[in-house]
Amino acid sequence: MTLTAERPGVAGYAEKGLRHDIQGLRAIAVLAVMLFHMNKEWLPGGFVGVDVFLVISGFLITSIILDRKESRKFDLLGFYWGRLKRILPACYVMLSAISTLAAYLFISKDFEFYTDSLESSLYFTSNQYFSGFGDYFSPSAHELPLLHTWSLAVEMQFYLILPFLLAWLPLRWVKVMIPTLIVILTAYVECVLRVKGQQQEMYFSLLARAPEFLIGSMVAALRLGEVWSSRFSSFMGWAGFILLASSLFFIKESYGFPGVIALIPCVGTALLIASKNNLLSRFLSLTILVWIGGLSYSLYLWHWPVLSIMRYYVGHYSLELPWLMAFVLMTFATAWLSFRWIETPFRKVRTLAAGGKKAAMLSLGVFPLVFLSGHVNSHVVDPVPTELTRYASQSEICHGKIIGNCVRGGGGDKPPALLLGDSHGAQLNHFFDVVGAANKFNVRIITGSSCVPIVGFDVERLPKWAQSACLAQIDAAKAFIDSSDAIILAGMWQYQTQSAAFMAAFDEFLSSANAQGKNVLVMAQIPMFASNLLRVQRFGSLGLPVTVESNNEWQQANAKIAKITDKYPSVSFVDFSSSAFFRARHLEMIFCFIRIITTLMRWARAIMESLLYRFLKSLSFECWW
């Protein structure tokens, strides 16, 4: 059995030893992933295309190693050299290009998250980075250009382990070891990781994904399909097709992936690989599929960054048809360029010396772009003043943690009122400093990310990173609720009212406060915009077309909150959303103010640079004289 792990060029399909049907299977996998990423509703299980790739990788590298080992031609260093030249050049070119684009487009906070993911991607550890990823201010998952590199990291890590086992263990042990590891690791995923509720860690885990590689390895080690009759091979091929097609159309992310359920598409892929010379293999060997399969690595590399940056600019997950058409064209264009000018030349390199020259030339173009992108990001657009970027410094307020006594305001004899809320409550810290100073009163503000710290708040619906902080704030608030005569509640009601459990806890809190005769002030949610205004400001400064879209969900949410507050005499609902401050005309004034501030800052910097230049020039002249 002679196979090659290299993807063929357009003119190389007839090369001896190439499995054209596997190339077609790669095409199906990458097209499924692309379709799923374009819109999850179109192909709910399209994400299993990644698992198809992992099975194919396991099959090919195991086939190569065992064949060369059998002929006593296996070279471990040569194997790793082949993998490095196959994966690294195209990947690093993509990273440099996306870093340059991100440096121009991303606001500073988003670019900080990007550089963290970039560092992990450079070292192929991004699966570990994304397994613990999560922050209130982080971009949405569909706006992370390097999220897809987790699978490349898993693949590279797997390559570090399996070749040693295959190279030194006798074949009879390998045939027992691989199925045993599949069972043990799948049991570990189901009985340990899933029981602990570590779904995100499980999704990106090498140990959780290893069974998928090993299923492909098992096909190669056991020589499945080698002695199958034509009829039986056809039957198994159709069985594999049904398993894989069912997975693509019916498995959903919510089912909990990977684990036992991942065996369905993986076994289906294995059966398609094992069955040869039948109708399905001839279909998978169609020229168009083989051509797309040849581009599959570059298509996978480029499709997600292109799509995520489009979504970052547009501000929506759902893209309209012109954007989707542009995405398809740009993805295939960049993939072909990558295949033609990066993948193919490096694949043809045979010696370390020749490879070193190409790598040095590539490094001169790639790494400066990566390392200079941070400088570009902070200088291409003048920074927005800090007070216009966030409501308060995390180190100064009791948001997610207790700092000092959490009291804001301007003194007075009365005990402080108590404000509880999420980030919409946290944004009132400086407000109450000003208002409290003017009216001689204090407010104790205790808030949490996405969390209104009241008893009964359904913490489990929060992201994992926010849950412990929310519980701590609920406990901290308990000590002040009974002793506070006046309580203020502020929140992002359009998020909180989606939870029936929260609405019940909110109602119970108001009922209890009303029974105790406490004065409760519930503040309506302020108007929200669908657009990220800091991004809009940056895009506008770059001369890109921008639009500001309003979000009307807050109006319905305010109505739900107001309906509950009307039930209790001691509870008041205060709504400032009709204020002129929130009108579109006023929003234009805000942007005008930001532009004035940034322009003045630009002028000031230019003047200072000019004065500094003159001073240095005069100084050097005096020294010369």
Side-chain angles (χ1 to χ4, degrees):
M1 180 171 60
T2 304
L3 294 166
T4 176
E6 306 294 348
R7 293 182 174 92
V10 175
Y13 292 142
E15 185 180 342
K16 184 179 179 180
L18 288 173
R19 286 282 301 271
H20 292 175
D21 56 331
I22 291 181
Q23 290 296 90
L25 196 53
R26 276 195 177 113
I28 298 297
V30 75
L31 292 175
V33 171
M34 290 175 61
L35 198 60
F36 173 77
H37 285 158
M38 290 169 70
N39 191 313
K40 296 179 180 180
E41 303 300 323
W42 294 350
L43 193 65
F47 63 92
V48 306
V50 172
D51 307 281
V52 174
F53 278 123
L54 300 185
V55 174
I56 293 173
S57 293
F59 171 73
L60 290 176
I61 65 169
T62 303
S63 300
I64 293 170
I65 293 172
L66 293 182
D67 281 357
R68 293 178 182 174
K69 180 182 175 182
E70 185 177 333
S71 60
R72 300 183 183 277
K73 294 181 180 179
F74 178 66
D75 176 10
L76 189 61
L77 292 179
F79 170 82
Y80 285 124
W81 165 242
R83 292 300 86 209
L84 291 177
K85 71 177 183 178
R86 179 72 188 85
I87 294 175
L88 263 61
C91 181
Y92 282 173
V93 167
M94 180 274 294
L95 292 177
S96 65
I98 299 305
S99 295
T100 303
L101 190 56
Y104 277 89
L105 284 181
F106 284 15
I107 61 176
S108 59
K109 189 65 178 179
D110 293 343
F111 192 73
E112 289 176 14
F113 287 109
Y114 173 80
T115 54
D116 289 341
S117 66
L118 173 63
E119 182 178 356
S120 63
S121 298
L122 287 170
Y123 299 114
F124 291 91
T125 58
S126 55
N127 61 318
Q128 299 172 20
Y129 172 76
F130 288 115
S131 69
F133 184 81
D135 185 278
Y136 183 83
F137 294 98
S138 63
S140 300
H142 61 264
E143 297 174 339
L144 299 172
L146 303 183
L147 179 60
H148 68 316
T149 61
W150 73 265
S151 64
L152 302 181
V154 166
E155 189 167 353
M156 288 293 281
Q157 292 161 23
F158 187 76
Y159 288 161
L160 293 175
I161 300 171
L162 186 66
F164 284 98
L165 298 177
L166 296 179
W168 308 117
L169 288 178
L171 182 59
R172 64 180 183 277
W173 290 13
V174 170
K175 292 180 178 181
V176 175
M177 176 197 69
I178 291 177
T180 302
L181 285 176
I182 292 173
V183 172
I184 292 174
L185 292 175
T186 303
Y188 169 75
V189 171
E190 293 294 338
C191 301
V192 178
L193 297 182
R194 196 180 302 283
V195 170
K196 288 183 177 180
Q198 299 176 344
Q199 180 58 47
Q200 183 164 315
E201 292 86 345
M202 184 172 75
Y203 190 87
F204 296 105
S205 169
L206 170 63
L207 290 179
R209 296 289 178 173
E212 302 173 11
F213 288 99
L214 292 172
I215 287 174
S217 296
M218 186 171 66
V219 175
L222 300 181
R223 309 278 186 178
L224 291 181
E226 290 294 306
V227 296
W228 289 353
S229 67
S230 177
R231 179 175 296 180
F232 186 73
S233 177
S234 180
F235 172 78
M236 297 303 286
W238 281 105
F241 171 79
I242 292 171
L243 289 175
L244 181 56
S246 300
S247 301
L248 291 172
F249 285 99
F250 300 114
I251 289 181
K252 298 181 179 179
E253 288 180 297
S254 59
Y255 290 177
F257 219 79
V260 171
I261 197 169
L263 298 180
I264 300 174
C266 292
V267 170
T269 303
L271 292 177
L272 284 170
I273 293 173
S275 63
K276 295 172 287 188
N277 302 318
N278 53 49
L279 180 61
L280 280 172
S281 61
R282 287 194 292 274
F283 167 75
L284 292 173
S285 299
L286 290 175
T287 303
I288 183 62
L289 290 180
V290 176
W291 183 80
I292 294 174
L295 293 177
S296 60
Y297 176 53
S298 284
L299 283 171
Y300 184 79
L301 276 182
W302 286 97
H303 87 280
W304 180 254
V306 170
L307 192 59
S308 62
I309 289 178
M310 283 184 175
R311 284 174 171 151
Y312 185 89
Y313 176 68
V314 173
H316 297 292
Y317 169 80
S318 298
L319 298 177
E320 296 180 353
L321 183 59
W323 283 104
L324 293 176
M325 293 174 63
F327 157 70
V328 173
L329 290 174
M330 290 179 65
T331 298
F332 273 90
T334 51
W336 185 85
L337 290 171
S338 175
F339 175 82
R340 174 63 181 83
W341 299 106
I342 308 298
E343 283 193 64
T344 301
F346 272 91
R347 191 177 65 248
K348 292 180 179 179
V349 169
R350 298 303 177 192
T351 65
L352 285 173
K357 291 179 181 179
K358 287 185 178 293
M361 294 176 61
L362 185 67
S363 299
L364 290 175
V366 167
F367 289 106
L369 290 176
V370 171
F371 293 118
L372 291 175
S373 59
H375 180 78
V376 171
N377 179 259
S378 59
H379 288 84
V380 68
V381 173
D382 289 322
V384 177
T386 303
E387 59 271 20
L388 297 180
T389 62
R390 63 182 299 151
Y391 43 78
S393 171
Q394 290 286 89
S395 62
E396 299 176 358
I397 62 176
C398 293
H399 187 61
K401 59 185 181 297
I402 299 300
I403 300 176
N405 60 10
C406 307
V407 173
R408 316 293 294 211
D413 299 330
K414 295 182 179 180
L418 176 65
L419 187 150
L420 304 175
D422 53 24
S423 58
H424 283 234
Q427 69 184 353
L428 298 172
N429 273 272
H430 291 316
F431 168 81
F432 278 114
D433 276 340
V434 175
V435 174
N439 295 278
K440 303 299 180 183
F441 72 89
N442 293 320
V443 177
R444 178 176 281 109
I445 303 179
I446 300 177
T447 57
S449 293
S450 305
C451 165
V452 180
I454 60 175
V455 176
F457 183 87
D458 49 330
V459 179
E460 61 276 1
R461 70 183 162 98
L462 300 184
K464 190 174 181 179
W465 57 264
Q467 292 182 8
S468 58
C470 180
L471 289 171
Q473 293 301 80
I474 292 173
D475 289 338
K478 287 179 183 177
F480 301 104
I481 291 175
D482 291 338
S483 61
S484 299
D485 295 328
I487 299 176
I488 305 169
L489 295 175
M492 183 180 176
W493 304 131
Q494 70 183 61
Y495 170 69
Q496 305 295 355
T497 55
Q498 296 175 25
S499 167
F502 168 78
M503 295 299 283
F506 181 74
D507 195 351
E508 177 62 27
F509 183 87
L510 295 185
S511 176
S512 176
N514 181 71
Q516 297 176 45
K518 297 180 182 294
N519 294 314
V520 180
L521 182 69
V522 179
M523 301 190 69
Q525 179 186 324
I526 62 172
M528 299 283 287
F529 297 93
S531 305
N532 183 308
L533 301 185
L534 289 176
R535 296 181 187 179
V536 168
Q537 187 272 336
R538 185 175 183 90
F539 300 156
S541 299
L542 291 170
L544 300 173
V546 294
T547 57
V548 178
E549 300 180 16
S550 61
N551 179 327
N552 297 323
E553 295 178 15
W554 59 271
Q555 294 172 316
Q556 299 175 1
N558 278 345
K560 293 178 181 178
I561 294 295
K563 185 177 180 180
I564 294 179
T565 60
D566 287 344
K567 294 162 51 177
Y568 304 107
S570 66
V571 180
S572 302
F573 183 74
V574 179
D575 188 356
F576 293 116
S577 61
S578 60
S579 168
F581 182 85
F582 296 111
R583 293 176 188 167
R585 180 181 178 85
H586 192 77
L587 181 64
E588 293 175 3
M589 294 173 61
I590 293 175
F591 278 117
C592 180
F593 174 71
I594 293 176
R595 284 195 293 270
I596 291 172
I597 292 293
T598 53
T599 300
L600 290 175
M601 290 175 64
R602 189 183 299 112
W603 289 350
R605 188 173 70 182
I607 292 171
M608 291 300 297
E609 290 175 350
S610 176
L611 292 174
L612 180 62
Y613 171 75
R614 291 179 182 179
F615 171 73
L616 293 175
K617 184 177 180 181
S618 64
L619 185 63
S620 61
F621 174 77
E622 290 172 1
C623 292
W624 173 79
W625 180 258

